[in-house]
Amino acid sequence: IKRDLQSEKARLRNKIYRSRVRTAIRAFQDTVAKGDGTAINGKLNEVYSILDKCVQKGVFKINKASRTKSRLAAKALAS
């Protein structure tokens, strides 16, 4: 019973972090669509920070975070 309670708390905590990442990525993609260079770098740094925190908390594995950061950086350079 205790393990179930702990798992549920962890699931909800992880859900918050994943949602925060998706929201930041969406904001970054909107900025890329607009083409504002300084804002793109700001949003990219924000996404990097959130992804790194998620890795520290164990929400994402480091390779997933690295892969996501690489793809976003490529999109930033392409715009």
Side-chain angles (χ1 to χ4, degrees), residues 1-31:
I1 294 171
K2 181 180 178 182
R3 190 69 221 163
D4 284 342
L5 292 173
Q6 290 173 333
S7 295
E8 182 64 16
K9 282 174 67 173
R11 185 186 71 80
L12 293 173
R13 195 175 321 122
N14 292 343
K15 183 179 174 183
I16 290 169
Y17 280 110
R18 284 192 301 269
S19 174
R20 197 173 291 166
V21 168
R22 283 192 298 263
T23 302
I25 289 174
R26 220 173 287 122
F28 167 76
Q29 290 171 342
D30 289 343
T31 307

Side-chain angles (χ1 to χ4, degrees), residues 37-73:
T38 56
I40 289 174
N41 287 333
K43 293 290 184 183
L44 189 61
N45 288 335
E46 185 180 322
V47 174
Y48 279 7
S49 175
I50 296 170
L51 283 170
D52 290 338
K53 287 177 188 171
C54 287
V55 169
Q56 288 176 346
K57 301 288 184 184
V59 178
F60 294 138
K61 293 195 181 274
I62 192 162
N63 286 350
K64 177 184 171 53
S66 296
R67 182 176 62 243
T68 303
K69 290 196 285 189
S70 176
R71 289 175 180 170
L72 293 175

